[in-house]
């Protein structure tokens, strides 16, 4: 790291020019890269996925895609039964005006249940073609326009469905650029407090360079495969927080050395050798958590893993090259005005660390109890999709759904089950599957749009939405019965998508968890030259993750807080892809702070030989830094939570809460108390392990008895 810093300083002008070119190129390609991203959540190879593909190829619509529910409502005194021809013509016009749709209504199924119990509203199910391009829009406006054009005189029309309700409102949200701007303003406010000088702008420059570099790195990869549209949000907002955190660590250490009287050149070298070393291990740890997603047989999760792993790698690259170059050139001039000095540790954080050492048993017990209480809530998690009640509380889609519900139409119509059958046995299969408990009725449309190539799509309507691991049981019963029913070729729908995901992803989760834990442990053993510290870090990081998911259950699934903060009622479940994405990101991000703190503790222990001194000085030097870094990441996630989609809000709040929990309870209380309890065994690394990892062995040094932390706190 010293040689690296010397090289960066010797070529600092070239380094800055290089990053200027990278930033310009990254800005130029960010748009095209975003346009190549998709919203495809397909699960190829799974039973439901295979049937969904077959239906999509044969009929041009449906599959995993939940349909629209479109309505025609008559005024008081008129009924849909008195104008069946007008209703049928209005729905038929959708087929004429919107390509690749399949419609089920009373006209082609003969089912009178397509009229509400008051007789005033008729509705139809519209299965549409789902364009997975990130820039494509679902055909809601086209469907509404076609229905409005042909509606009977004096009637009102409505369009609802899972995809329409999921936006939460008619607004499309602030967009990625606005969210980044919001996060940047919040980060600048925190950085201004930390540095109280013009240096507050430096981490933002590093973040901008790393975000644009990530898009540039993603360009050739997007030629080789598809990437989820979720990646662009993660690059912009998590990239913002991570890059700022890494740069903040290096700049703070540089400033500390400068305020001690060290020359600018040597201060940059020391900061790169110490803080830069921690940044490398931290970045690799984050990347490991994300690359572990590659073991999952789901394309969009793999794309999140690859795209997400580029974020810490680009941030590390920018931090270890551009930061030394700028500090070596204009750093001293930017450290103005010098309102705050860094030549001594924070007295308040040092006193806090001393308190945690002195009351280590109490601190450990309180923090572990708090974490376990939240882990207990995690045991009640339901995996699935957000219920319709939580998707939208106002707007035309919500009003249309409310009209249907008042008319006795169940919300199971939002998540129908599609059964692909041979045409000759469609009616017998429908009669058999319609008797499965939890199925309200079975529909066999007679038009050409639902009968092609000798196959027919039978549609089953469940009693309630099949949106989570509890209500999806009806779908499992249908699949089980279908396997014994002649003429059935496959079952699909939103419910089968959840079952396929649970089988394909969560069945492989133990392997993913073991891989992440093992690689992280080995990496941290090498970083800290200790067997015990990395083990503690990994185990309690997992405990922190469980507590975070417990908060998600309480806040979102049970709705204790979501209504107050976001105006969204309980979701009833956590969307199936959210826990894994949160885990992959949060495991590495929260480990950042462990690396920052323990790296400084290791340094202080090597200098003093005292565990207590290492804890107090380590926390004293990193406490404000870690708190500020966590706050910056939290603000980035708060910006992400401003997106209109409920799923993104759930993911963003989970990441934000996890970061705050980790920086407060885990790193400020649990870490110092446990390190104090483990004493000199924290620093043990046997010879054989050191030889394998190619580092120096470590043995606890023989020192006088540990000083009483109640005495005067060392702050130097």
């Amino acid at each position: 790291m010293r040689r690296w810093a010397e090289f960066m300083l010797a070529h600092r002008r070239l380094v800055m020019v290089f990053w200027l070119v990278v930033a310009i190129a990254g800005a130029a390609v960010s748009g095209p890269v975003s346009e190549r991203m998709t919203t495809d959540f397909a699960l190829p190879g799974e039973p439901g996925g295979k049937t969904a593909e077959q239906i999509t190829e044969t009929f041009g619509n449906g599959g995993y895609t939940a349909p629209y529910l479109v309505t025609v409502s008559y005024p008081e005194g008129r009924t849909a039964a008195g104008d069946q021809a007008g209703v049928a013509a209005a729905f038929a016009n959708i087929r004429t005006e919107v390509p690749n749709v399949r419609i089920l209504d009373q006209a082609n199924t003969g089912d009178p249940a397509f009229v509400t119990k008051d007789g005033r509203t008729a509705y139809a199910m519209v299965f549409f073609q789902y364009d997975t391009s990130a820039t494509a829009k679902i055909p809601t406006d086209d469907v509404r326009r076609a229905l409005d054009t042909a509606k009977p005189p004096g009637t009102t029309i409505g369009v609802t469905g899972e995809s329409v309700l999921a936006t939460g409102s008619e607004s499309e949200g602030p967009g990625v650029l606005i969210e980044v701007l919001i996060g940047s303003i919040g980060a600048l406010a925190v950085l201004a407090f930390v540095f109280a000088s013009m240096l507050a702008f430096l981490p933002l420059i590093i973040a901008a360079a790393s975000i644009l570099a990530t898009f540039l790195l993603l360009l050739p990869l997007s030629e080789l495969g598809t990437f989820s549209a979720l990646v662009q949000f993660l690059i912009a907002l998590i990239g913002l927080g991570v890059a700022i955190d890494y740069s903040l660590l290096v700049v703070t250490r540089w400033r500390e050395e400068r305020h001690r009287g060290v020359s600018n050149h040597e201060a940059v070298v020391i900061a790169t050798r110490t803080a830069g070393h921690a940044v490398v291990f931290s970045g690799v740890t984050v990347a490991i958590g994300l690359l572990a997603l590659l073991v999952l047989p789901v394309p969009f999760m793999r794309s999140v893993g690859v795209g997400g792993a580029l974020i810490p790698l680009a941030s590390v690259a920018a931090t270890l090259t551009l930061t030394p170059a700028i500090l070596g050139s204009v750093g001293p001039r930017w450290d103005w005005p010098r309102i705050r000095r860094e030549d001594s540790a924070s007295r308040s954080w040092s006193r806090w660390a001393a308190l945690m050492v002195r009351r280590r048993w109490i601190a450990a017990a309180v923090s572990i109890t708090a974490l376990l209480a939240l882990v207990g809530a995690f045991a009640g998690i339901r995996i699935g999709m957000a219920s319709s009640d939580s998707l939208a509380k106002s707007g035309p889609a919500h009003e249309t759904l409310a009209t249907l519900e008042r008319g006795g139409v169940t919300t199971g119509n939002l998540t129908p089950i599609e059964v692909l059958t041979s045409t000759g046995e469609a009616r017998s299969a429908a009669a058999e599957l319609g008797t499965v408990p939890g199925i309200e009725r079975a529909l066999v449309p007679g038009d050409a749009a639902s009968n092609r190539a000798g196959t027919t799509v039978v549609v089953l309507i469940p009693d309630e939405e099949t949106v989570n691991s509890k209500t999806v049981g009806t779908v499992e019963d249908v699949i089980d019965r279908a396997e014994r029913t002649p003429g059935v070729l496959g079952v699909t729908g939103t419910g089968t998508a959840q079952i396929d995901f649970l089988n394909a992803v969560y069945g492989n989760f133990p392997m993913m968890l073991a891989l992440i834990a093992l690689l992280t442990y080995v990496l941290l053993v090498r970083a800290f030259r200790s067997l015990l510290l990395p083990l503690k870090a990994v185990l309690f990081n997992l405990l922190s993750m469980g507590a975070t998911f417990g908060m998600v259950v309480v806040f979102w699934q049970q709705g204790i807080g979501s209504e107050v903060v976001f105006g969204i009622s309980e979701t009833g479940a956590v969307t199936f892809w959210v826990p894994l994405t949160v885990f992959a990101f949060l495991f590495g991000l929260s480990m950042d702070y462990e690396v920052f703190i323990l790296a400084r503790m290791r340094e202080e222990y090597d200098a003093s030989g005292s565990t207590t001194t290492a804890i107090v000085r380590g926390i004293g030097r990193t406490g404000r830094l870690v708190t500020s870094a966590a706050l910056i990441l939290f603000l980035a996630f708060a910006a992400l939570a401003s997106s209109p989609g409920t799923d993104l809000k759930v993911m963003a709040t989970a990441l934000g809460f996890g970061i705050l929990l980790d920086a407060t309870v885990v790193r400020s209380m649990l870490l110092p108390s446990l390190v104090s309890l483990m004493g000199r065994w924290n620093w043990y690394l046997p010879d054989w392990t050191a030889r394998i990892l190619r580092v120096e062995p470590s043995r606890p040094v023989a020192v006088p008895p540990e000083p009483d932390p109640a005495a005067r706190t060392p702050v130097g």
Side-chain angles (χ1 to χ4, degrees), residues 6 48 61 82 116 140 179 200 248 261 290 303 308 313 330 335 352 404 432-433 469 510 536 579 598 624 629 683 700:
E6 297 281 3
N61 48 55
T116 56
T140 309
E179 290 173 0
L248 176 62
L290 288 158
S303 75
L313 298 181
V330 297
D335 191 13
W352 173 263
L404 290 172
E432 175 64 22
L433 298 177
S469 49
K536 177 201 67 65
L598 289 180
R624 186 173 72 239
W683 322 107

PDB file of all heavy atoms in Angstrom, residues 6 48 61 82 116 140 179 200 248 261 290 303 308 313 330 335 352 404 432-433 469 510 536 579 598 624 629 683 700:
ATOM      1  N   GLU A   6       2.808   5.912  -3.177  1.00  0.00           N
ATOM      2  CA  GLU A   6       3.919   6.649  -3.797  1.00  0.00           C
ATOM      3  C   GLU A   6       3.706   6.765  -5.304  1.00  0.00           C
ATOM      4  O   GLU A   6       3.963   7.812  -5.908  1.00  0.00           O
ATOM      5  CB  GLU A   6       5.248   5.947  -3.506  1.00  0.00           C
ATOM      6  CG  GLU A   6       5.636   5.888  -2.030  1.00  0.00           C
ATOM      7  CD  GLU A   6       6.212   7.205  -1.528  1.00  0.00           C
ATOM      8  OE1 GLU A   6       6.256   8.180  -2.301  1.00  0.00           O
ATOM      9  OE2 GLU A   6       6.607   7.256  -0.342  1.00  0.00           O
ATOM     10  N   GLY A  48     -43.448 -23.754 -13.236  1.00  0.00           N
ATOM     11  CA  GLY A  48     -44.308 -22.630 -13.580  1.00  0.00           C
ATOM     12  C   GLY A  48     -43.704 -21.769 -14.664  1.00  0.00           C
ATOM     13  O   GLY A  48     -44.416 -21.239 -15.528  1.00  0.00           O
ATOM     14  N   ASN A  61     -49.291 -13.567 -24.474  1.00  0.00           N
ATOM     15  CA  ASN A  61     -49.624 -12.795 -23.281  1.00  0.00           C
ATOM     16  C   ASN A  61     -49.670 -13.727 -22.077  1.00  0.00           C
ATOM     17  O   ASN A  61     -49.446 -14.927 -22.197  1.00  0.00           O
ATOM     18  CB  ASN A  61     -50.980 -12.102 -23.467  1.00  0.00           C
ATOM     19  CG  ASN A  61     -52.033 -13.069 -23.991  1.00  0.00           C
ATOM     20  OD1 ASN A  61     -52.276 -14.116 -23.399  1.00  0.00           O
ATOM     21  ND2 ASN A  61     -52.646 -12.734 -25.129  1.00  0.00           N
ATOM     22  N   GLY A  82     -78.947  -5.344 -18.810  1.00  0.00           N
ATOM     23  CA  GLY A  82     -79.822  -4.751 -19.811  1.00  0.00           C
ATOM     24  C   GLY A  82     -79.092  -4.278 -21.049  1.00  0.00           C
ATOM     25  O   GLY A  82     -79.727  -3.809 -21.998  1.00  0.00           O
ATOM     26  N   THR A 116     -71.161  -7.525 -11.049  1.00  0.00           N
ATOM     27  CA  THR A 116     -71.232  -7.366  -9.597  1.00  0.00           C
ATOM     28  C   THR A 116     -72.634  -7.665  -9.100  1.00  0.00           C
ATOM     29  O   THR A 116     -73.614  -7.646  -9.862  1.00  0.00           O
ATOM     30  CB  THR A 116     -70.821  -5.942  -9.178  1.00  0.00           C
ATOM     31  OG1 THR A 116     -71.655  -5.003  -9.869  1.00  0.00           O
ATOM     32  CG2 THR A 116     -69.370  -5.669  -9.532  1.00  0.00           C
ATOM     33  N   THR A 140     -51.311   0.173 -19.865  1.00  0.00           N
ATOM     34  CA  THR A 140     -52.468   0.635 -19.091  1.00  0.00           C
ATOM     35  C   THR A 140     -53.229   1.732 -19.823  1.00  0.00           C
ATOM     36  O   THR A 140     -54.462   1.690 -19.940  1.00  0.00           O
ATOM     37  CB  THR A 140     -52.018   1.149 -17.715  1.00  0.00           C
ATOM     38  OG1 THR A 140     -51.200   0.176 -17.080  1.00  0.00           O
ATOM     39  CG2 THR A 140     -53.213   1.458 -16.836  1.00  0.00           C
ATOM     40  N   GLU A 179     -33.300  11.287  -7.048  1.00  0.00           N
ATOM     41  CA  GLU A 179     -32.990  10.556  -5.817  1.00  0.00           C
ATOM     42  C   GLU A 179     -31.513  10.701  -5.455  1.00  0.00           C
ATOM     43  O   GLU A 179     -31.155  10.861  -4.281  1.00  0.00           O
ATOM     44  CB  GLU A 179     -33.370   9.085  -5.971  1.00  0.00           C
ATOM     45  CG  GLU A 179     -34.877   8.853  -6.018  1.00  0.00           C
ATOM     46  CD  GLU A 179     -35.234   7.414  -6.330  1.00  0.00           C
ATOM     47  OE1 GLU A 179     -34.300   6.614  -6.513  1.00  0.00           O
ATOM     48  OE2 GLU A 179     -36.426   7.095  -6.394  1.00  0.00           O
ATOM     49  N   ALA A 200     -15.292  18.716   2.524  1.00  0.00           N
ATOM     50  CA  ALA A 200     -16.586  18.047   2.461  1.00  0.00           C
ATOM     51  C   ALA A 200     -16.962  17.691   1.029  1.00  0.00           C
ATOM     52  O   ALA A 200     -17.712  16.729   0.793  1.00  0.00           O
ATOM     53  CB  ALA A 200     -17.667  18.935   3.078  1.00  0.00           C
ATOM     54  N   LEU A 248     -14.290   8.988   2.803  1.00  0.00           N
ATOM     55  CA  LEU A 248     -14.333   9.630   4.117  1.00  0.00           C
ATOM     56  C   LEU A 248     -13.300   9.021   5.055  1.00  0.00           C
ATOM     57  O   LEU A 248     -12.610   9.732   5.806  1.00  0.00           O
ATOM     58  CB  LEU A 248     -15.737   9.483   4.697  1.00  0.00           C
ATOM     59  CG  LEU A 248     -15.991   9.994   6.114  1.00  0.00           C
ATOM     60  CD1 LEU A 248     -15.757  11.489   6.186  1.00  0.00           C
ATOM     61  CD2 LEU A 248     -17.419   9.659   6.542  1.00  0.00           C
ATOM     62  N   GLY A 261       1.204  17.231  12.287  1.00  0.00           N
ATOM     63  CA  GLY A 261       2.426  17.869  11.818  1.00  0.00           C
ATOM     64  C   GLY A 261       3.181  17.100  10.761  1.00  0.00           C
ATOM     65  O   GLY A 261       4.287  17.499  10.379  1.00  0.00           O
ATOM     66  N   LEU A 290     -22.244 -10.010  -2.636  1.00  0.00           N
ATOM     67  CA  LEU A 290     -23.051  -9.857  -3.841  1.00  0.00           C
ATOM     68  C   LEU A 290     -22.758 -10.942  -4.863  1.00  0.00           C
ATOM     69  O   LEU A 290     -23.667 -11.466  -5.508  1.00  0.00           O
ATOM     70  CB  LEU A 290     -22.806  -8.470  -4.433  1.00  0.00           C
ATOM     71  CG  LEU A 290     -23.435  -7.355  -3.586  1.00  0.00           C
ATOM     72  CD1 LEU A 290     -22.764  -6.022  -3.846  1.00  0.00           C
ATOM     73  CD2 LEU A 290     -24.919  -7.262  -3.871  1.00  0.00           C
ATOM     74  N   SER A 303     -27.881 -11.115 -12.040  1.00  0.00           N
ATOM     75  CA  SER A 303     -27.523  -9.806 -12.595  1.00  0.00           C
ATOM     76  C   SER A 303     -27.354  -8.773 -11.494  1.00  0.00           C
ATOM     77  O   SER A 303     -26.476  -7.909 -11.559  1.00  0.00           O
ATOM     78  CB  SER A 303     -28.579  -9.350 -13.602  1.00  0.00           C
ATOM     79  OG  SER A 303     -29.767  -8.898 -12.970  1.00  0.00           O
ATOM     80  N   GLY A 308     -24.161  -5.364  -8.789  1.00  0.00           N
ATOM     81  CA  GLY A 308     -23.912  -4.813  -7.459  1.00  0.00           C
ATOM     82  C   GLY A 308     -22.475  -4.932  -7.037  1.00  0.00           C
ATOM     83  O   GLY A 308     -21.924  -4.040  -6.366  1.00  0.00           O
ATOM     84  N   LEU A 313     -16.202  -2.383  -5.976  1.00  0.00           N
ATOM     85  CA  LEU A 313     -14.925  -2.468  -6.684  1.00  0.00           C
ATOM     86  C   LEU A 313     -14.568  -1.130  -7.329  1.00  0.00           C
ATOM     87  O   LEU A 313     -13.422  -0.675  -7.245  1.00  0.00           O
ATOM     88  CB  LEU A 313     -14.991  -3.578  -7.731  1.00  0.00           C
ATOM     89  CG  LEU A 313     -15.219  -4.992  -7.187  1.00  0.00           C
ATOM     90  CD1 LEU A 313     -15.253  -6.016  -8.311  1.00  0.00           C
ATOM     91  CD2 LEU A 313     -14.141  -5.359  -6.175  1.00  0.00           C
ATOM     92  N   VAL A 330      -4.078  19.252  -4.056  1.00  0.00           N
ATOM     93  CA  VAL A 330      -4.759  20.428  -3.497  1.00  0.00           C
ATOM     94  C   VAL A 330      -5.337  20.168  -2.119  1.00  0.00           C
ATOM     95  O   VAL A 330      -6.047  21.021  -1.586  1.00  0.00           O
ATOM     96  CB  VAL A 330      -5.883  20.891  -4.457  1.00  0.00           C
ATOM     97  CG1 VAL A 330      -5.307  21.335  -5.793  1.00  0.00           C
ATOM     98  CG2 VAL A 330      -6.922  19.781  -4.658  1.00  0.00           C
ATOM     99  N   ASP A 335      -8.454  22.029   2.894  1.00  0.00           N
ATOM    100  CA  ASP A 335      -8.716  21.884   4.329  1.00  0.00           C
ATOM    101  C   ASP A 335      -8.809  23.264   4.962  1.00  0.00           C
ATOM    102  O   ASP A 335      -8.007  23.662   5.820  1.00  0.00           O
ATOM    103  CB  ASP A 335      -7.613  21.056   4.987  1.00  0.00           C
ATOM    104  CG  ASP A 335      -7.980  20.653   6.411  1.00  0.00           C
ATOM    105  OD1 ASP A 335      -9.162  20.803   6.783  1.00  0.00           O
ATOM    106  OD2 ASP A 335      -7.086  20.191   7.141  1.00  0.00           O
ATOM    107  N   TRP A 352     -17.232   7.072  25.852  1.00  0.00           N
ATOM    108  CA  TRP A 352     -18.235   6.044  25.602  1.00  0.00           C
ATOM    109  C   TRP A 352     -17.594   4.656  25.551  1.00  0.00           C
ATOM    110  O   TRP A 352     -18.108   3.699  26.134  1.00  0.00           O
ATOM    111  CB  TRP A 352     -18.971   6.333  24.300  1.00  0.00           C
ATOM    112  CG  TRP A 352     -19.908   5.231  23.894  1.00  0.00           C
ATOM    113  CD1 TRP A 352     -19.672   4.228  23.006  1.00  0.00           C
ATOM    114  CD2 TRP A 352     -21.215   4.996  24.409  1.00  0.00           C
ATOM    115  NE1 TRP A 352     -20.754   3.385  22.913  1.00  0.00           N
ATOM    116  CE2 TRP A 352     -21.720   3.829  23.766  1.00  0.00           C
ATOM    117  CE3 TRP A 352     -22.025   5.654  25.331  1.00  0.00           C
ATOM    118  CZ2 TRP A 352     -22.986   3.333  24.031  1.00  0.00           C
ATOM    119  CZ3 TRP A 352     -23.293   5.143  25.594  1.00  0.00           C
ATOM    120  CH2 TRP A 352     -23.763   3.995  24.952  1.00  0.00           C
ATOM    121  N   LEU A 404     -65.275  -2.967  -7.310  1.00  0.00           N
ATOM    122  CA  LEU A 404     -65.442  -4.407  -7.504  1.00  0.00           C
ATOM    123  C   LEU A 404     -65.648  -5.123  -6.170  1.00  0.00           C
ATOM    124  O   LEU A 404     -66.511  -6.008  -6.055  1.00  0.00           O
ATOM    125  CB  LEU A 404     -64.223  -4.977  -8.231  1.00  0.00           C
ATOM    126  CG  LEU A 404     -64.076  -4.583  -9.705  1.00  0.00           C
ATOM    127  CD1 LEU A 404     -62.726  -5.047 -10.259  1.00  0.00           C
ATOM    128  CD2 LEU A 404     -65.214  -5.181 -10.532  1.00  0.00           C
ATOM    129  N   GLU A 432     -62.679 -30.501 -12.853  1.00  0.00           N
ATOM    130  CA  GLU A 432     -61.933 -31.181 -11.790  1.00  0.00           C
ATOM    131  C   GLU A 432     -61.179 -30.182 -10.922  1.00  0.00           C
ATOM    132  O   GLU A 432     -61.249 -30.226  -9.690  1.00  0.00           O
ATOM    133  CB  GLU A 432     -60.963 -32.179 -12.418  1.00  0.00           C
ATOM    134  CG  GLU A 432     -60.029 -32.872 -11.426  1.00  0.00           C
ATOM    135  CD  GLU A 432     -60.759 -33.747 -10.424  1.00  0.00           C
ATOM    136  OE1 GLU A 432     -61.912 -34.168 -10.717  1.00  0.00           O
ATOM    137  OE2 GLU A 432     -60.210 -34.003  -9.340  1.00  0.00           O
ATOM    138  N   LEU A 433     -60.456 -29.267 -11.544  1.00  0.00           N
ATOM    139  CA  LEU A 433     -59.644 -28.316 -10.777  1.00  0.00           C
ATOM    140  C   LEU A 433     -60.506 -27.284 -10.064  1.00  0.00           C
ATOM    141  O   LEU A 433     -60.087 -26.715  -9.045  1.00  0.00           O
ATOM    142  CB  LEU A 433     -58.640 -27.619 -11.704  1.00  0.00           C
ATOM    143  CG  LEU A 433     -57.615 -28.540 -12.381  1.00  0.00           C
ATOM    144  CD1 LEU A 433     -56.718 -27.744 -13.321  1.00  0.00           C
ATOM    145  CD2 LEU A 433     -56.761 -29.258 -11.333  1.00  0.00           C
ATOM    146  N   SER A 469     -46.676 -16.816   1.366  1.00  0.00           N
ATOM    147  CA  SER A 469     -46.432 -18.223   1.657  1.00  0.00           C
ATOM    148  C   SER A 469     -47.585 -18.879   2.407  1.00  0.00           C
ATOM    149  O   SER A 469     -47.617 -20.099   2.534  1.00  0.00           O
ATOM    150  CB  SER A 469     -45.138 -18.359   2.479  1.00  0.00           C
ATOM    151  OG  SER A 469     -45.124 -17.472   3.578  1.00  0.00           O
ATOM    152  N   PRO A 510     -28.994 -21.815   1.955  1.00  0.00           N
ATOM    153  CA  PRO A 510     -27.940 -22.284   2.873  1.00  0.00           C
ATOM    154  C   PRO A 510     -26.564 -22.345   2.211  1.00  0.00           C
ATOM    155  O   PRO A 510     -25.557 -22.010   2.842  1.00  0.00           O
ATOM    156  CB  PRO A 510     -28.428 -23.678   3.284  1.00  0.00           C
ATOM    157  CG  PRO A 510     -29.913 -23.610   3.138  1.00  0.00           C
ATOM    158  CD  PRO A 510     -30.150 -22.748   1.936  1.00  0.00           C
ATOM    159  N   LYS A 536     -16.318 -13.655  15.516  1.00  0.00           N
ATOM    160  CA  LYS A 536     -17.300 -12.799  16.186  1.00  0.00           C
ATOM    161  C   LYS A 536     -17.978 -11.869  15.182  1.00  0.00           C
ATOM    162  O   LYS A 536     -19.207 -11.683  15.208  1.00  0.00           O
ATOM    163  CB  LYS A 536     -16.603 -11.967  17.265  1.00  0.00           C
ATOM    164  CG  LYS A 536     -17.522 -10.981  17.970  1.00  0.00           C
ATOM    165  CD  LYS A 536     -16.751  -9.874  18.625  1.00  0.00           C
ATOM    166  CE  LYS A 536     -16.081  -9.000  17.612  1.00  0.00           C
ATOM    167  NZ  LYS A 536     -17.058  -8.265  16.750  1.00  0.00           N
ATOM    168  N   PRO A 579     -35.743 -10.070   0.506  1.00  0.00           N
ATOM    169  CA  PRO A 579     -34.832 -10.522   1.560  1.00  0.00           C
ATOM    170  C   PRO A 579     -33.440 -10.906   1.055  1.00  0.00           C
ATOM    171  O   PRO A 579     -32.427 -10.568   1.680  1.00  0.00           O
ATOM    172  CB  PRO A 579     -35.559 -11.736   2.163  1.00  0.00           C
ATOM    173  CG  PRO A 579     -37.000 -11.479   1.895  1.00  0.00           C
ATOM    174  CD  PRO A 579     -37.026 -10.819   0.556  1.00  0.00           C
ATOM    175  N   LEU A 598     -12.249  -2.387  13.705  1.00  0.00           N
ATOM    176  CA  LEU A 598     -11.287  -3.397  14.142  1.00  0.00           C
ATOM    177  C   LEU A 598      -9.906  -3.173  13.535  1.00  0.00           C
ATOM    178  O   LEU A 598      -8.889  -3.502  14.164  1.00  0.00           O
ATOM    179  CB  LEU A 598     -11.794  -4.797  13.793  1.00  0.00           C
ATOM    180  CG  LEU A 598     -12.989  -5.289  14.613  1.00  0.00           C
ATOM    181  CD1 LEU A 598     -13.399  -6.681  14.168  1.00  0.00           C
ATOM    182  CD2 LEU A 598     -12.677  -5.279  16.102  1.00  0.00           C
ATOM    183  N   ARG A 624     -16.984   8.803  15.467  1.00  0.00           N
ATOM    184  CA  ARG A 624     -17.663   9.835  14.685  1.00  0.00           C
ATOM    185  C   ARG A 624     -17.665   9.477  13.202  1.00  0.00           C
ATOM    186  O   ARG A 624     -18.639   9.723  12.487  1.00  0.00           O
ATOM    187  CB  ARG A 624     -16.991  11.187  14.898  1.00  0.00           C
ATOM    188  CG  ARG A 624     -17.749  12.331  14.220  1.00  0.00           C
ATOM    189  CD  ARG A 624     -17.192  13.705  14.552  1.00  0.00           C
ATOM    190  NE  ARG A 624     -15.913  13.932  13.906  1.00  0.00           N
ATOM    191  CZ  ARG A 624     -14.791  14.197  14.548  1.00  0.00           C
ATOM    192  NH1 ARG A 624     -14.787  14.240  15.874  1.00  0.00           N
ATOM    193  NH2 ARG A 624     -13.672  14.414  13.895  1.00  0.00           N
ATOM    194  N   ALA A 629     -20.622   7.966   8.482  1.00  0.00           N
ATOM    195  CA  ALA A 629     -20.716   7.115   7.289  1.00  0.00           C
ATOM    196  C   ALA A 629     -22.060   6.400   7.246  1.00  0.00           C
ATOM    197  O   ALA A 629     -22.694   6.299   6.186  1.00  0.00           O
ATOM    198  CB  ALA A 629     -19.566   6.105   7.278  1.00  0.00           C
ATOM    199  N   TRP A 683      -6.320 -11.363  19.781  1.00  0.00           N
ATOM    200  CA  TRP A 683      -5.173 -11.052  18.926  1.00  0.00           C
ATOM    201  C   TRP A 683      -4.338 -12.286  18.586  1.00  0.00           C
ATOM    202  O   TRP A 683      -3.189 -12.161  18.178  1.00  0.00           O
ATOM    203  CB  TRP A 683      -4.306 -10.005  19.624  1.00  0.00           C
ATOM    204  CG  TRP A 683      -5.137  -8.985  20.347  1.00  0.00           C
ATOM    205  CD1 TRP A 683      -5.320  -8.859  21.692  1.00  0.00           C
ATOM    206  CD2 TRP A 683      -5.939  -7.966  19.733  1.00  0.00           C
ATOM    207  NE1 TRP A 683      -6.171  -7.831  21.973  1.00  0.00           N
ATOM    208  CE2 TRP A 683      -6.573  -7.247  20.785  1.00  0.00           C
ATOM    209  CE3 TRP A 683      -6.181  -7.581  18.423  1.00  0.00           C
ATOM    210  CZ2 TRP A 683      -7.417  -6.180  20.557  1.00  0.00           C
ATOM    211  CZ3 TRP A 683      -7.032  -6.522  18.186  1.00  0.00           C
ATOM    212  CH2 TRP A 683      -7.636  -5.828  19.242  1.00  0.00           C
ATOM    213  N   PRO A 700      -0.755 -12.781  21.682  1.00  0.00           N
ATOM    214  CA  PRO A 700      -0.964 -11.715  22.664  1.00  0.00           C
ATOM    215  C   PRO A 700       0.338 -11.404  23.393  1.00  0.00           C
ATOM    216  O   PRO A 700       1.034 -12.312  23.856  1.00  0.00           O
ATOM    217  CB  PRO A 700      -2.016 -12.289  23.615  1.00  0.00           C
ATOM    218  CG  PRO A 700      -2.709 -13.355  22.805  1.00  0.00           C
ATOM    219  CD  PRO A 700      -1.655 -13.925  21.914  1.00  0.00           C
TER     220      PRO A 700
END
